[in-house]
Amino acid sequence: MYFLGIIWNPNETLFNLGPIQIKYYNLLWIIAFAIGWYLMKKIFVNEKKPVEQLDSLFVYTVLGTMLGARLGHVFFYDWPYYKNHLLEILLPIRESDTGSLLFGLIDGYEFTGFTGLASHGATIGIIIATYLFTRKHAGFSMLWIFDRLTIPVAIGAFCVRLGNFFNSEINGKTVDESFIFATKFIRDSDDLHPSKALGVTKERTLNAAYDAIESDPQFSQYLMEIPYRHPAQLYEGVCYIFVFVLLYFLYWKTDKKNKPGYLFGLFLILLWTVRFFVEFVKKSQGGFEESLGLLSTGQWLSIPFIILGLYFMFRPVKSN
């Protein structure tokens, strides 16, 4: 990777298993959950909590994260589309003129994976999942879990944004080529629609078409027309690494974990403040920002979490 004019054109699919595509994005989600389980196991052992109950918490968290992230995207960002495509809300498919699902048993769809996920929805999903877990398992409070769960969630957020970068999605606004992090996302469908890439190159697959746009001189005009953009996913992801390091340090090296809600509040403030400011260089993701104006959908959704974080971080806690 080079500074000053990065051309970013990765094949986001690692390999195919029949009609199923295994993508970097999916792999990074798996890595995020694996790291999360490992970190939480260390915490459970450190605080002498039953490790076998971690498996149950893990299942609740995974389901809450994925369902919350998916439904958050559907209702916060793209309800006008999904209200007419209800089947696609909880299935990793997309309506297509040429695609098929389940080896041709259902025509008119293609397997895409869950590419529409919203972090605000994931946060809500985790909160609900934790509440349900504590209702079933005695000996755990929601704040105890939140204060510790923030550590793996922070590094997981980095993995997700790295996955977005590989997918060339959630890109930033246009920027001058001379900007040090300027990135040309060849696979950004807003800048070069897949149908146009196939049409001008006459290639049979999208990967071949995008590669031709990048490397074949006869298509240099189309390459030049693709604007440079902020790699907003990397800005956000790198900041999340610092959030993770700080929370990890505070948990293991200080007594902040003993103040219920402190680490959780700090996490909410840091994570959503990062999101709020990165939104200024991120291109619009849709949603309700046109009706409210001034701020983006992501910024409006971040404000309540920041306020909630301030409450938990600075609220008075009765000493035992």
Side-chain angles (χ1 to χ4, degrees):
M1 185 179 294
Y2 301 90
F3 290 135
L4 299 179
I6 304 168
I7 295 179
W8 187 243
N9 180 32
N11 181 352
E12 70 272 14
T13 302
L14 284 169
F15 55 88
N16 297 310
L17 295 174
I20 300 177
Q21 301 174 7
I22 305 301
K23 300 183 178 183
Y24 286 102
Y25 186 69
N26 307 126
L27 179 61
L28 284 162
W29 269 96
I30 294 171
I31 291 173
F33 285 125
I35 294 174
W37 185 89
Y38 170 76
L39 292 172
M40 286 299 290
K41 182 181 179 182
K42 287 185 61 177
I43 290 171
F44 267 53
V45 170
N46 179 60
E47 302 200 31
K48 297 179 173 56
K49 293 290 186 179
V51 176
E52 58 271 14
Q53 292 190 354
L54 174 60
D55 293 333
S56 179
L57 176 61
F58 180 76
V59 172
Y60 275 84
T61 303
V62 170
L63 292 177
T65 301
M66 300 307 295
L67 286 173
R70 184 58 177 168
L71 294 176
H73 172 78
V74 168
F75 293 111
F76 293 152
Y77 290 96
D78 212 4
W79 179 241
Y81 173 83
Y82 284 103
K83 69 180 181 181
N84 298 315
H85 300 82
L86 298 179
L87 188 64
E88 299 175 22
I89 293 178
L90 294 178
L91 293 177
I93 59 176
R94 191 82 171 183
E95 188 174 352
S96 171
D97 294 332
T98 59
S100 61
L101 177 67
L102 299 179
F103 305 97
L105 295 179
I106 303 175
D107 292 327
Y109 291 90
E110 61 180 344
F111 181 91
T112 59
F114 288 121
T115 56
L117 302 171
S119 54
H120 296 91
T123 302
I124 296 172
I126 291 172
I127 291 173
I128 295 173
T130 303
Y131 169 74
L132 295 175
F133 174 83
T134 55
R135 286 286 301 272
K136 186 175 181 180
H137 296 272
F140 293 93
S141 71
M142 289 185 66
L143 283 182
W144 185 93
I145 295 176
F146 288 156
D147 283 333
R148 288 140 185 87
L149 203 59
T150 56
I151 299 171
V153 169
I155 196 64
F158 162 74
C159 292
V160 171
R161 285 296 175 251
L162 186 59
N164 295 140
F165 185 64
F166 274 103
N167 275 3
S168 297
E169 62 188 1
I170 316 183
N171 302 320
K173 296 177 181 178
T174 58
V175 69
D176 189 83
E177 177 183 359
S178 62
F179 181 66
I180 188 170
F181 299 120
T183 305
K184 184 170 291 202
F185 294 93
I186 292 181
R187 296 176 185 243
D188 187 328
S189 60
D190 290 336
D191 297 328
L192 179 63
H193 196 274
S195 61
K196 182 177 180 180
L198 290 168
V200 298
T201 61
K202 309 303 180 185
E203 296 285 354
R204 298 182 62 181
T205 67
L206 270 177
N207 286 325
Y210 287 130
D211 290 341
I213 294 290
E214 178 185 8
S215 58
D216 194 329
Q218 68 175 308
F219 304 120
S220 59
Q221 170 191 347
Y222 301 99
L223 181 62
M224 291 179 61
E225 290 175 354
I226 299 173
Y228 285 94
R229 294 184 176 277
H230 285 283
Q233 319 95 316
L234 294 186
Y235 299 165
E236 202 170 334
V238 170
C239 289
Y240 292 158
I241 291 178
F242 287 105
V243 175
F244 163 75
V245 170
L246 177 60
L247 291 170
Y248 190 90
F249 172 82
L250 290 175
Y251 174 82
W252 288 103
K253 301 298 183 180
T254 73
D255 62 352
K256 294 299 184 182
K257 62 179 175 290
N258 298 325
K259 180 182 178 182
Y262 183 91
L263 293 180
F264 176 55
L266 178 61
F267 165 81
L268 291 177
I269 294 169
L270 293 178
L271 191 89
W272 298 114
T273 297
V274 168
R275 176 66 182 272
F276 185 89
F277 284 103
V278 172
E279 286 285 325
F280 283 113
V281 297
K282 188 184 296 183
K283 71 179 181 181
S284 174
Q285 301 300 306
F288 49 77
E289 58 193 46
E290 291 185 1
S291 59
L292 292 180
L294 188 62
L295 300 175
S296 71
T297 301
Q299 288 172 318
W300 283 117
L301 291 172
S302 296
I303 291 173
F305 288 109
I306 295 172
I307 295 172
L308 186 64
L310 290 169
Y311 166 75
F312 278 110
M313 191 173 178
F314 296 108
R315 71 191 181 109
V317 177
K318 294 181 180 178
S319 58
N320 296 327

